Amino acid sequence: MDRLLHLDRPLDELDPPRWAPPACDATRLVRKVHELRRIPLGELEPADLRTLISQQVALSYVLPLAVRLLLEEPLLDAYFYEGDLLLATVNAPASAWYLLPDLAAQLCAVIRALPEILLAGLPRGAAEELARFLARAESLH
């Protein structure tokens, strides 16, 4: 199923069951994730995708959206720093990528094409995270 066909629907509909409202004492992050599940996929911003991916929420729906953005701008600054969406995306669990091997291959091609000078500007440890993703993704094929 093409997950991008459902851009007009929120995760609460696409990824059942619907989540109950967050508890009164929930953290800001928990409240934000609950809020994001009620927004139609097509309205999610790069920072929203980074948050959902980092929290491992509905990855089969949000990873395709993130990869679509990363194909155009691999080092997109979603919220914190240049490349933060890419690093959140490559750190998604292998089990999520197992369901999306073609997307993983596309993302691998983008990563391999990144010039060394741009990689040097990423946070410490980023090159290792990207290398781990490349190794994991190659095992999917």
Side-chain angles (χ1 to χ4, degrees), residues 19-38 51-52 55 57:
W19 288 12
C24 296
D25 61 346
T27 65
R28 192 180 100 155
L29 177 59
V30 168
R31 288 192 308 274
K32 178 68 174 176
V33 170
H34 278 257
E35 173 188 319
L36 293 175
R37 284 188 52 89
R38 295 189 306 269
T51 298
L52 290 166
Q55 296 304 306
V57 174

PDB file of all heavy atoms in Angstrom, residues 19-38 51-52 55 57:
ATOM      1  N   TRP A  19      -5.514   6.998  19.825  1.00  0.00           N
ATOM      2  CA  TRP A  19      -4.950   7.191  21.157  1.00  0.00           C
ATOM      3  C   TRP A  19      -5.914   8.002  22.013  1.00  0.00           C
ATOM      4  O   TRP A  19      -6.543   8.954  21.535  1.00  0.00           O
ATOM      5  CB  TRP A  19      -3.631   7.941  21.074  1.00  0.00           C
ATOM      6  CG  TRP A  19      -2.498   7.140  20.525  1.00  0.00           C
ATOM      7  CD1 TRP A  19      -2.540   5.927  19.897  1.00  0.00           C
ATOM      8  CD2 TRP A  19      -1.125   7.511  20.555  1.00  0.00           C
ATOM      9  NE1 TRP A  19      -1.288   5.521  19.526  1.00  0.00           N
ATOM     10  CE2 TRP A  19      -0.399   6.477  19.920  1.00  0.00           C
ATOM     11  CE3 TRP A  19      -0.437   8.613  21.036  1.00  0.00           C
ATOM     12  CZ2 TRP A  19       0.984   6.524  19.776  1.00  0.00           C
ATOM     13  CZ3 TRP A  19       0.935   8.662  20.882  1.00  0.00           C
ATOM     14  CH2 TRP A  19       1.631   7.621  20.272  1.00  0.00           C
ATOM     15  N   ALA A  20      -6.004   7.627  23.261  1.00  0.00           N
ATOM     16  CA  ALA A  20      -6.789   8.412  24.218  1.00  0.00           C
ATOM     17  C   ALA A  20      -6.051   9.724  24.463  1.00  0.00           C
ATOM     18  O   ALA A  20      -4.842   9.821  24.231  1.00  0.00           O
ATOM     19  CB  ALA A  20      -6.929   7.633  25.525  1.00  0.00           C
ATOM     20  N   PRO A  21      -6.749  10.736  24.941  1.00  0.00           N
ATOM     21  CA  PRO A  21      -6.066  12.001  25.257  1.00  0.00           C
ATOM     22  C   PRO A  21      -4.947  11.755  26.275  1.00  0.00           C
ATOM     23  O   PRO A  21      -5.043  10.844  27.107  1.00  0.00           O
ATOM     24  CB  PRO A  21      -7.165  12.876  25.856  1.00  0.00           C
ATOM     25  CG  PRO A  21      -8.439  12.282  25.353  1.00  0.00           C
ATOM     26  CD  PRO A  21      -8.183  10.814  25.196  1.00  0.00           C
ATOM     27  N   PRO A  22      -3.883  12.554  26.203  1.00  0.00           N
ATOM     28  CA  PRO A  22      -2.789  12.361  27.156  1.00  0.00           C
ATOM     29  C   PRO A  22      -3.243  12.681  28.577  1.00  0.00           C
ATOM     30  O   PRO A  22      -4.187  13.444  28.789  1.00  0.00           O
ATOM     31  CB  PRO A  22      -1.719  13.346  26.680  1.00  0.00           C
ATOM     32  CG  PRO A  22      -2.454  14.363  25.876  1.00  0.00           C
ATOM     33  CD  PRO A  22      -3.646  13.669  25.295  1.00  0.00           C
ATOM     34  N   ALA A  23      -2.568  12.082  29.529  1.00  0.00           N
ATOM     35  CA  ALA A  23      -2.875  12.335  30.943  1.00  0.00           C
ATOM     36  C   ALA A  23      -2.604  13.801  31.270  1.00  0.00           C
ATOM     37  O   ALA A  23      -1.804  14.472  30.608  1.00  0.00           O
ATOM     38  CB  ALA A  23      -2.011  11.436  31.822  1.00  0.00           C
ATOM     39  N   CYS A  24      -3.255  14.277  32.304  1.00  0.00           N
ATOM     40  CA  CYS A  24      -3.102  15.676  32.728  1.00  0.00           C
ATOM     41  C   CYS A  24      -1.650  16.027  33.045  1.00  0.00           C
ATOM     42  O   CYS A  24      -1.214  17.150  32.809  1.00  0.00           O
ATOM     43  CB  CYS A  24      -3.968  15.958  33.955  1.00  0.00           C
ATOM     44  SG  CYS A  24      -5.713  15.795  33.610  1.00  0.00           S
ATOM     45  N   ASP A  25      -0.915  15.076  33.569  1.00  0.00           N
ATOM     46  CA  ASP A  25       0.468  15.342  33.958  1.00  0.00           C
ATOM     47  C   ASP A  25       1.479  14.894  32.895  1.00  0.00           C
ATOM     48  O   ASP A  25       2.669  14.777  33.169  1.00  0.00           O
ATOM     49  CB  ASP A  25       0.772  14.683  35.298  1.00  0.00           C
ATOM     50  CG  ASP A  25       0.616  13.165  35.246  1.00  0.00           C
ATOM     51  OD1 ASP A  25       0.028  12.646  34.271  1.00  0.00           O
ATOM     52  OD2 ASP A  25       1.094  12.508  36.187  1.00  0.00           O
ATOM     53  N   ALA A  26       1.006  14.673  31.675  1.00  0.00           N
ATOM     54  CA  ALA A  26       1.891  14.223  30.595  1.00  0.00           C
ATOM     55  C   ALA A  26       2.927  15.298  30.278  1.00  0.00           C
ATOM     56  O   ALA A  26       2.658  16.494  30.409  1.00  0.00           O
ATOM     57  CB  ALA A  26       1.076  13.903  29.354  1.00  0.00           C
ATOM     58  N   THR A  27       4.081  14.844  29.818  1.00  0.00           N
ATOM     59  CA  THR A  27       5.131  15.783  29.436  1.00  0.00           C
ATOM     60  C   THR A  27       4.719  16.537  28.174  1.00  0.00           C
ATOM     61  O   THR A  27       3.805  16.126  27.445  1.00  0.00           O
ATOM     62  CB  THR A  27       6.456  15.054  29.153  1.00  0.00           C
ATOM     63  OG1 THR A  27       6.267  14.209  28.010  1.00  0.00           O
ATOM     64  CG2 THR A  27       6.913  14.239  30.356  1.00  0.00           C
ATOM     65  N   ARG A  28       5.433  17.600  27.904  1.00  0.00           N
ATOM     66  CA  ARG A  28       5.173  18.383  26.700  1.00  0.00           C
ATOM     67  C   ARG A  28       5.360  17.520  25.448  1.00  0.00           C
ATOM     68  O   ARG A  28       4.597  17.613  24.493  1.00  0.00           O
ATOM     69  CB  ARG A  28       6.105  19.585  26.673  1.00  0.00           C
ATOM     70  CG  ARG A  28       5.737  20.594  25.635  1.00  0.00           C
ATOM     71  CD  ARG A  28       6.697  21.727  25.683  1.00  0.00           C
ATOM     72  NE  ARG A  28       7.629  21.474  24.585  1.00  0.00           N
ATOM     73  CZ  ARG A  28       8.312  22.400  23.979  1.00  0.00           C
ATOM     74  NH1 ARG A  28       8.279  23.625  24.400  1.00  0.00           N
ATOM     75  NH2 ARG A  28       9.086  22.106  22.976  1.00  0.00           N
ATOM     76  N   LEU A  29       6.370  16.660  25.466  1.00  0.00           N
ATOM     77  CA  LEU A  29       6.632  15.780  24.330  1.00  0.00           C
ATOM     78  C   LEU A  29       5.467  14.814  24.103  1.00  0.00           C
ATOM     79  O   LEU A  29       5.007  14.633  22.971  1.00  0.00           O
ATOM     80  CB  LEU A  29       7.935  15.004  24.529  1.00  0.00           C
ATOM     81  CG  LEU A  29       8.294  13.995  23.443  1.00  0.00           C
ATOM     82  CD1 LEU A  29       8.430  14.664  22.078  1.00  0.00           C
ATOM     83  CD2 LEU A  29       9.568  13.255  23.816  1.00  0.00           C
ATOM     84  N   VAL A  30       4.972  14.215  25.156  1.00  0.00           N
ATOM     85  CA  VAL A  30       3.844  13.287  25.034  1.00  0.00           C
ATOM     86  C   VAL A  30       2.623  14.020  24.495  1.00  0.00           C
ATOM     87  O   VAL A  30       1.942  13.524  23.583  1.00  0.00           O
ATOM     88  CB  VAL A  30       3.546  12.604  26.391  1.00  0.00           C
ATOM     89  CG1 VAL A  30       2.217  11.870  26.360  1.00  0.00           C
ATOM     90  CG2 VAL A  30       4.680  11.658  26.757  1.00  0.00           C
ATOM     91  N   ARG A  31       2.360  15.210  25.007  1.00  0.00           N
ATOM     92  CA  ARG A  31       1.213  15.984  24.506  1.00  0.00           C
ATOM     93  C   ARG A  31       1.392  16.321  23.027  1.00  0.00           C
ATOM     94  O   ARG A  31       0.450  16.247  22.246  1.00  0.00           O
ATOM     95  CB  ARG A  31       1.019  17.256  25.333  1.00  0.00           C
ATOM     96  CG  ARG A  31       0.468  16.988  26.725  1.00  0.00           C
ATOM     97  CD  ARG A  31       0.006  18.256  27.437  1.00  0.00           C
ATOM     98  NE  ARG A  31       0.998  19.327  27.468  1.00  0.00           N
ATOM     99  CZ  ARG A  31       1.955  19.470  28.383  1.00  0.00           C
ATOM    100  NH1 ARG A  31       2.035  18.608  29.374  1.00  0.00           N
ATOM    101  NH2 ARG A  31       2.791  20.481  28.338  1.00  0.00           N
ATOM    102  N   LYS A  32       2.624  16.655  22.635  1.00  0.00           N
ATOM    103  CA  LYS A  32       2.912  17.005  21.243  1.00  0.00           C
ATOM    104  C   LYS A  32       2.680  15.798  20.327  1.00  0.00           C
ATOM    105  O   LYS A  32       2.063  15.930  19.268  1.00  0.00           O
ATOM    106  CB  LYS A  32       4.358  17.498  21.119  1.00  0.00           C
ATOM    107  CG  LYS A  32       4.782  17.854  19.722  1.00  0.00           C
ATOM    108  CD  LYS A  32       4.042  19.086  19.226  1.00  0.00           C
ATOM    109  CE  LYS A  32       4.556  19.535  17.879  1.00  0.00           C
ATOM    110  NZ  LYS A  32       3.803  20.651  17.352  1.00  0.00           N
ATOM    111  N   VAL A  33       3.152  14.631  20.714  1.00  0.00           N
ATOM    112  CA  VAL A  33       2.975  13.436  19.886  1.00  0.00           C
ATOM    113  C   VAL A  33       1.488  13.110  19.748  1.00  0.00           C
ATOM    114  O   VAL A  33       1.012  12.792  18.650  1.00  0.00           O
ATOM    115  CB  VAL A  33       3.782  12.240  20.448  1.00  0.00           C
ATOM    116  CG1 VAL A  33       3.423  10.944  19.737  1.00  0.00           C
ATOM    117  CG2 VAL A  33       5.272  12.520  20.323  1.00  0.00           C
ATOM    118  N   HIS A  34       0.742  13.221  20.818  1.00  0.00           N
ATOM    119  CA  HIS A  34      -0.704  12.984  20.746  1.00  0.00           C
ATOM    120  C   HIS A  34      -1.349  13.979  19.776  1.00  0.00           C
ATOM    121  O   HIS A  34      -2.217  13.602  18.972  1.00  0.00           O
ATOM    122  CB  HIS A  34      -1.336  13.115  22.131  1.00  0.00           C
ATOM    123  CG  HIS A  34      -1.215  11.882  22.954  1.00  0.00           C
ATOM    124  ND1 HIS A  34      -2.268  11.015  23.141  1.00  0.00           N
ATOM    125  CD2 HIS A  34      -0.174  11.369  23.640  1.00  0.00           C
ATOM    126  CE1 HIS A  34      -1.872  10.011  23.911  1.00  0.00           C
ATOM    127  NE2 HIS A  34      -0.600  10.206  24.229  1.00  0.00           N
ATOM    128  N   GLU A  35      -0.934  15.221  19.839  1.00  0.00           N
ATOM    129  CA  GLU A  35      -1.460  16.259  18.951  1.00  0.00           C
ATOM    130  C   GLU A  35      -1.122  15.950  17.488  1.00  0.00           C
ATOM    131  O   GLU A  35      -1.970  16.079  16.602  1.00  0.00           O
ATOM    132  CB  GLU A  35      -0.858  17.605  19.359  1.00  0.00           C
ATOM    133  CG  GLU A  35      -1.171  18.749  18.443  1.00  0.00           C
ATOM    134  CD  GLU A  35      -0.364  19.993  18.812  1.00  0.00           C
ATOM    135  OE1 GLU A  35      -0.208  20.276  20.010  1.00  0.00           O
ATOM    136  OE2 GLU A  35       0.116  20.659  17.873  1.00  0.00           O
ATOM    137  N   LEU A  36       0.106  15.515  17.236  1.00  0.00           N
ATOM    138  CA  LEU A  36       0.536  15.224  15.877  1.00  0.00           C
ATOM    139  C   LEU A  36      -0.241  14.068  15.255  1.00  0.00           C
ATOM    140  O   LEU A  36      -0.430  14.025  14.043  1.00  0.00           O
ATOM    141  CB  LEU A  36       2.040  14.922  15.842  1.00  0.00           C
ATOM    142  CG  LEU A  36       2.957  16.091  16.171  1.00  0.00           C
ATOM    143  CD1 LEU A  36       4.407  15.637  16.228  1.00  0.00           C
ATOM    144  CD2 LEU A  36       2.771  17.236  15.191  1.00  0.00           C
ATOM    145  N   ARG A  37      -0.690  13.138  16.077  1.00  0.00           N
ATOM    146  CA  ARG A  37      -1.464  12.002  15.555  1.00  0.00           C
ATOM    147  C   ARG A  37      -2.832  12.430  15.033  1.00  0.00           C
ATOM    148  O   ARG A  37      -3.493  11.679  14.329  1.00  0.00           O
ATOM    149  CB  ARG A  37      -1.628  10.920  16.631  1.00  0.00           C
ATOM    150  CG  ARG A  37      -0.346  10.119  16.840  1.00  0.00           C
ATOM    151  CD  ARG A  37      -0.564   8.952  17.758  1.00  0.00           C
ATOM    152  NE  ARG A  37      -1.664   8.088  17.385  1.00  0.00           N
ATOM    153  CZ  ARG A  37      -1.572   7.032  16.572  1.00  0.00           C
ATOM    154  NH1 ARG A  37      -0.424   6.714  16.031  1.00  0.00           N
ATOM    155  NH2 ARG A  37      -2.635   6.298  16.319  1.00  0.00           N
ATOM    156  N   ARG A  38      -3.272  13.644  15.373  1.00  0.00           N
ATOM    157  CA  ARG A  38      -4.585  14.129  14.929  1.00  0.00           C
ATOM    158  C   ARG A  38      -4.492  15.048  13.706  1.00  0.00           C
ATOM    159  O   ARG A  38      -5.507  15.490  13.196  1.00  0.00           O
ATOM    160  CB  ARG A  38      -5.292  14.836  16.079  1.00  0.00           C
ATOM    161  CG  ARG A  38      -5.631  13.903  17.232  1.00  0.00           C
ATOM    162  CD  ARG A  38      -6.523  14.555  18.277  1.00  0.00           C
ATOM    163  NE  ARG A  38      -6.011  15.806  18.802  1.00  0.00           N
ATOM    164  CZ  ARG A  38      -5.233  15.937  19.874  1.00  0.00           C
ATOM    165  NH1 ARG A  38      -4.889  14.873  20.564  1.00  0.00           N
ATOM    166  NH2 ARG A  38      -4.825  17.119  20.277  1.00  0.00           N
ATOM    167  N   THR A  51      10.001  14.473  15.122  1.00  0.00           N
ATOM    168  CA  THR A  51       9.491  14.095  16.442  1.00  0.00           C
ATOM    169  C   THR A  51       8.846  12.716  16.404  1.00  0.00           C
ATOM    170  O   THR A  51       9.136  11.864  17.252  1.00  0.00           O
ATOM    171  CB  THR A  51       8.467  15.140  16.947  1.00  0.00           C
ATOM    172  OG1 THR A  51       9.134  16.396  17.081  1.00  0.00           O
ATOM    173  CG2 THR A  51       7.861  14.733  18.275  1.00  0.00           C
ATOM    174  N   LEU A  52       7.981  12.482  15.438  1.00  0.00           N
ATOM    175  CA  LEU A  52       7.294  11.187  15.346  1.00  0.00           C
ATOM    176  C   LEU A  52       8.277  10.047  15.106  1.00  0.00           C
ATOM    177  O   LEU A  52       8.163   8.980  15.711  1.00  0.00           O
ATOM    178  CB  LEU A  52       6.231  11.232  14.246  1.00  0.00           C
ATOM    179  CG  LEU A  52       5.013  12.105  14.558  1.00  0.00           C
ATOM    180  CD1 LEU A  52       4.206  12.369  13.295  1.00  0.00           C
ATOM    181  CD2 LEU A  52       4.157  11.464  15.640  1.00  0.00           C
ATOM    182  N   GLN A  55      10.282   9.284  18.199  1.00  0.00           N
ATOM    183  CA  GLN A  55       9.462   8.601  19.200  1.00  0.00           C
ATOM    184  C   GLN A  55       8.911   7.270  18.684  1.00  0.00           C
ATOM    185  O   GLN A  55       8.129   6.614  19.354  1.00  0.00           O
ATOM    186  CB  GLN A  55       8.307   9.514  19.651  1.00  0.00           C
ATOM    187  CG  GLN A  55       8.772  10.774  20.348  1.00  0.00           C
ATOM    188  CD  GLN A  55       9.646  10.459  21.537  1.00  0.00           C
ATOM    189  OE1 GLN A  55       9.267   9.705  22.417  1.00  0.00           O
ATOM    190  NE2 GLN A  55      10.845  11.041  21.571  1.00  0.00           N
ATOM    191  N   VAL A  57       6.745   6.488  16.277  1.00  0.00           N
ATOM    192  CA  VAL A  57       5.292   6.482  16.145  1.00  0.00           C
ATOM    193  C   VAL A  57       4.909   6.314  14.678  1.00  0.00           C
ATOM    194  O   VAL A  57       5.339   7.101  13.836  1.00  0.00           O
ATOM    195  CB  VAL A  57       4.686   7.793  16.699  1.00  0.00           C
ATOM    196  CG1 VAL A  57       3.186   7.855  16.433  1.00  0.00           C
ATOM    197  CG2 VAL A  57       4.976   7.919  18.188  1.00  0.00           C
TER     198      VAL A  57
END
